[in-house]
Amino acid sequence: MADRHPRLKELKFTLYRIFRNPSALIGFCLLLMFGIIAVAAPYIAPPKYPRSPYVMPHKGFSPTPRPPSRQNLMGTTSGQYDIFYGVVWGTRTAFKIGFVVVGIAALVGITLGLVAGYFGSLADEIIMRAVDVAFAVPLLVLTMAIIVAFGRGLENVMFALALVEWRVYVRVMRSGILALRDMDYVQAAKVMGVSHVRIMLRHLLPNGIYPVLVIATMDIGSMVITAAFMSFLGLGAPKGYADWGQMVALARNYIIGPPGDPLKYWYTIAFPGLCIILFVLAWNLIGDALRDAFDPKIRRG
Amino acid sequence: MLVFVLLGVSVLIFAILMTFSPERRAMTYVETPQQVKDIPQIIKQHGLDDPAHVQYFRWLKQISTGNWGWSFVAADTVWNAFWRYLPITLELNLFTTPLIIIIGIWLGTQAGIHKDTWLDHLTRIFAIIGWSLPTFLFALIMLMLFYGYFPLFPPGIIGDKVQMFILENPDKFHSYTGMYTIDGLLNGRLDITLDALRHLAMPVFTQVVVVVALLMRVMRSSMIEEISKEYVITARAKGADNKTIYFRHARKNALIPVVTVAGWLVAFSMEGSVSVEIIFNRRGIGWWLAQSAIALDIPVLMGMCLFFGLVYVVTNLVIDILYAAIDPRIRLT
C-alpha cells in the first residue's frame, strides 16, 4: 500500500488527528444529531400545512405560554406556537443560514483572494483596498444598514451577511497564497506554460485552502448567531417562521414569570436557546480541532 | 491611508443610500407628518434627482458640517441625539474594556505558562463556551436569573427613585458627563453612583464574558510561542527564576500581537453593546441603532456606519502608536 496517493495519506493522518481530540468528537456528535433532526424533520414533526412547512402551527392566539403537555412536547410559546415544532424545523433554518451565507461569502472571498494573491500589483491593490474599507464598518452595523436598504426577511438577512462577510475570506486566502506563490513548484508550473487558471485551481488552492476551512467552520456558528439576533430584533424571519432567534424573541416577555414563580415560563427560552448554543458550540469545537489538525507547527509532534 | 479608508466608507455608505428611490430619501428630510405632501418639492429643492457624483459631493459637504439628518426614533436631529446617547454607551465600555484587557491578558498568560494543565483546559472550555454564547441570549439568561430569580440587579440605567429625584431637583444634580456613575461622584452623591453601578453590573459582566474569550486565546498562544524561543532558554541557563522569565521577558514580547486584537476588541465591544443595551434597556448608541434599524430610520444607520468607521480608523492609529511604545524596534515614520 506504499504507492497510495499522498493526498489520501495526508487526509487519513488529518482525520486521525482530528478524531484523537475529544472535543472534536463531541462537536461531530452534536452536529450529527442536528443533521439527523434537520433531514428527518418531516417525520419527527409532520407539518400541518405541507405547502409551507416552515410555518409553526398554533392553536389560538393566547399570548400566555403553556407548559409541556402531551400535545405540545415542549410546551407552547406566546401566540401558542408549538415549541417542539419550531425547534425541529428551526434546525433546518439554521443549517440553511449557515451554509448559504458562508458558502456565498467563501466563494466570493476565495476567488478574490486567489486573484489578489496570485497576480499581485494592481489587482491586489484594488481588491485589498476595497477589503480595508469593508472592514472599517462592524458586521452588525453594516448588516443592519444593508437590511434596511433591501428590506426585511430571512433571504435579505442572509444576503446582507454574505455581502459583509466575504471580506474575511479574501484576507485569509490571500495571505495563504502569498506564502505559496513563490515556491519552486509554482515557478516550475509557470515555466512549463501551465495556464494561470490551472495553476490557481490545481496548485495553489488545494494547498492554501486549510486556514479558510477553519475560518469557515467557525464562521457558520457566528453567522447563525448574527442571523438569530436579526430575527430576534424582528429584521429577519417573518412572524411564525420556524427560526430559533425568533422563538427567543417570542419568549422575551416571559423570561420573568409572575411574582412568586419567576421561572414559570422557563421552557419558552430554554429549548430554542439551548439549540442555538449547542449548534454554534458544535461548529466551534470542530473548527478548533481543525485548526489544531491543520497547523503545520504542531502537526507532527 | 486612514483618510482613504474613511473616504471609502463614505462611498460605501453613499452607495447603499443610492439604492433608495429619491422619494424615500426625501422622507429623511421630513420632520412632521404635514410635510409628506411636499415630497416632490423636497426632491427638487435638495436635488435628489441629480447625477450620483454631484449628489455625493453635496452629501459629503452636508455630513462634514454636522448635518446628519433627522432621527424619528430619537425625535431629534441625528447629531444632537448622537451626543445624547453616546455617554450611556461610553459608560458601559469604560467599565468593560479595562476588565476585558486585564482579565484576558492575565488568564491568557496563566494558561500559556501552565500549558496542558487543568487550568489550561478550564480556560479553553471557558473560551469555547464564551465564544458560542450569543450575547443577546446570555444577557436574557442573566436577566432571568439575577433579576427574576434573585432580584439583585435590575435592568435600566438608574432606579426610579433616583430618576425622580433628578427630575424633581434639577438644581441639586448637574449632569456633567451624562454618565451617572461619574456624575454621581462629581455631585457628591455616592448613592446615585452606587445605584448606577448596580444597574451596570450585569451588562458589564455579560459583555466581559462574551468578549474576553478571544483575547485570552490570543494571549495564550502568543505566550506559548515566546516561551519556546531561544532567549528564554538562555535566560534559564543563566539561572533566572521562572517569575523573571515569564513576566519580565516573555510576557512583554507576547503582548505585541495581543495589542492588535485588543484594539480590534475595543471597536468590537462597541458593537457588542447593541445586544446588551437592547436586553438591559439602556438607551445608548446600540439601543438607538437597533431601534432605528427596526423603524427603518435611514439617516441614523448611515451616520452610525460613518461613526464606526471613525472608531475603526482612530483605533488603528492608537494601535500603531502603542506598537512603538511596546516594541522600540518599530519607529513611527
Side-chain angles (χ1 to χ4, degrees), chain A residues 129 132-133 136 138-141 148-149 152 229 232-233 235 248 252 255-256 262 273 276-277 281 284 288 292, chain B residues 1 4-5 8-9 16 20 124 128 132-134 136-137 140 144 147-148 271 275 278-279 293-294 301 308 312:
Chain A
R129 290 297 84 78
D132 282 345
V133 169
L139 171 75
L140 212 55
V141 184
V148 168
R152 293 170 190 156
F229 184 54
F232 177 76
L233 289 178
L235 294 171
V248 175
R252 191 184 172 185
I255 54 166
I256 293 162
I276 301 180
I277 295 174
L281 186 69
N284 280 346
D288 208 50
D292 284 355
Chain B
M1 177 60 213
F4 164 81
V5 169
V9 171
I16 298 175
F20 297 106
R124 189 189 182 117
I128 291 188
S132 309
L133 271 179
F136 71 99
L137 194 58
L140 274 177
M144 201 170 160
Y147 179 56
E271 186 193 7
S275 22
I278 281 281
I279 306 286
I294 296 166
L301 279 147
F308 277 103
Y312 175 84

Side-chain angles (χ1 to χ4, degrees), chain A residues 252-300:
Chain A
R252 191 184 172 185
N253 291 332
Y254 294 94
I255 54 166
I256 293 162
D261 193 7
L263 298 183
K264 192 179 174 193
Y265 304 117
W266 60 276
Y267 46 87
T268 53
I269 188 167
F271 295 117
L274 205 64
C275 281
I276 301 180
I277 295 174
L278 288 181
F279 189 81
V280 178
L281 186 69
W283 286 105
N284 280 346
L285 285 173
I286 294 171
D288 208 50
L290 282 185
R291 181 169 45 206
D292 284 355
F294 289 146
D295 190 345
K297 268 189 211 154
I298 54 175
R299 194 178 161 92
R300 322 239 172 211

Side-chain angles (χ1 to χ4, degrees), chain B residues 178-189:
Chain B
M179 304 181 210
Y180 285 102
T181 47
I182 295 172
D183 282 348
L185 286 178
L186 289 178
N187 283 296
R189 292 289 309 250

Side-chain angles (χ1 to χ4, degrees), chain B residues 174-210:
Chain B
H174 185 74
S175 179
Y176 295 99
T177 56
M179 304 181 210
Y180 285 102
T181 47
I182 295 172
D183 282 348
L185 286 178
L186 289 178
N187 283 296
R189 292 289 309 250
L190 207 63
D191 55 324
I192 294 180
T193 304
L194 285 178
D195 188 63
L197 278 178
R198 205 158 82 99
H199 287 85
L200 256 175
M202 266 200 310
V204 168
F205 179 74
T206 308
Q207 212 166 357
V208 168
V209 167
V210 174

Side-chain angles (χ1 to χ4, degrees), chain B residues 21-305:
Chain B
S21 65
E23 284 78 17
R24 271 191 79 187
R25 274 180 288 136
M27 280 297 286
T28 62
Y29 291 96
V30 174
E31 288 174 20
T32 56
Q34 285 82 6
Q35 283 179 310
V36 172
K37 64 178 183 344
D38 301 332
I39 278 187
Q41 281 165 338
I42 293 174
I43 293 177
K44 210 169 248 167
Q45 188 191 340
H46 293 279
L48 298 177
D49 278 335
D50 291 351
H53 61 278
V54 178
Q55 286 195 50
Y56 171 70
F57 287 110
R58 191 186 299 134
W59 176 77
L60 209 60
K61 222 162 104 189
Q62 264 182 22
I63 291 287
S64 52
T65 53
N67 179 7
W68 292 40
W70 181 261
S71 163
F72 280 107
V73 173
D76 203 344
T77 59
V78 173
W79 184 257
N80 288 343
F82 174 75
W83 292 108
R84 185 148 52 87
Y85 288 125
L86 185 65
I88 306 293
T89 307
L90 225 50
E91 187 178 31
L92 178 64
N93 282 287
L94 215 62
F95 285 91
T96 49
T97 311
L99 278 176
I100 289 168
I101 291 177
I102 292 169
I103 296 176
I105 290 180
W106 184 73
L107 273 181
T109 312
Q110 293 300 326
I113 294 173
H114 306 287
K115 189 176 171 248
D116 290 330
T117 61
W118 61 270
L119 186 85
D120 186 28
H121 294 306
L122 210 67
T123 55
R124 189 189 182 117
I125 293 169
F126 172 67
I128 291 188
I129 291 177
W131 211 328
S132 309
L133 271 179
T135 320
F136 71 99
L137 194 58
F138 185 49
L140 274 177
I141 294 168
M142 295 307 293
L143 202 61
M144 201 170 160
L145 289 178
F146 293 104
Y147 179 56
Y149 199 68
F150 307 104
L152 293 173
F153 301 109
I157 300 170
I158 44 169
D160 294 338
K161 271 188 202 152
V162 177
Q163 186 76 60
M164 285 308 286
F165 171 80
I166 292 170
L167 284 175
E168 281 168 6
N169 306 294
D171 49 319
K172 282 189 193 158
F173 186 86
H174 185 74
S175 179
Y176 295 99
T177 56
M179 304 181 210
Y180 285 102
T181 47
I182 295 172
D183 282 348
L185 286 178
L186 289 178
N187 283 296
R189 292 289 309 250
L190 207 63
D191 55 324
I192 294 180
T193 304
L194 285 178
D195 188 63
L197 278 178
R198 205 158 82 99
H199 287 85
L200 256 175
M202 266 200 310
V204 168
F205 179 74
T206 308
Q207 212 166 357
V208 168
V209 167
V210 174
V211 180
V212 87
L214 182 65
L215 189 67
M216 198 172 76
R217 296 300 289 177
V218 175
M219 185 66 206
R220 173 185 174 270
S221 51
S222 173
M223 193 73 192
I224 289 174
E225 204 178 318
E226 286 301 325
I227 286 177
S228 65
K229 281 192 178 162
E230 283 180 349
Y231 70 88
V232 172
I233 300 172
T234 315
R236 246 181 244 269
K238 258 188 354 189
D241 61 315
N242 271 344
K243 209 174 148 193
T244 318
I245 293 173
Y246 291 145
F247 297 109
R248 283 193 60 119
H249 296 294
R251 183 154 78 179
K252 274 190 186 166
N253 286 314
L255 272 176
I256 294 170
V258 172
V259 169
T260 322
V261 181
W264 183 73
L265 280 182
V266 172
F268 182 79
S269 68
M270 285 294 275
E271 186 193 7
S273 348
V274 176
S275 22
V276 170
E277 281 177 4
I278 281 281
I279 306 286
F280 292 115
N281 195 21
R282 301 177 62 82
R283 304 200 164 190
I285 294 280
W287 179 87
W288 184 38
L289 178 71
Q291 294 296 333
S292 303
I294 296 166
L296 303 182
D297 204 345
I298 304 161
V300 179
L301 279 147
M302 300 303 134
M304 285 300 103
C305 281

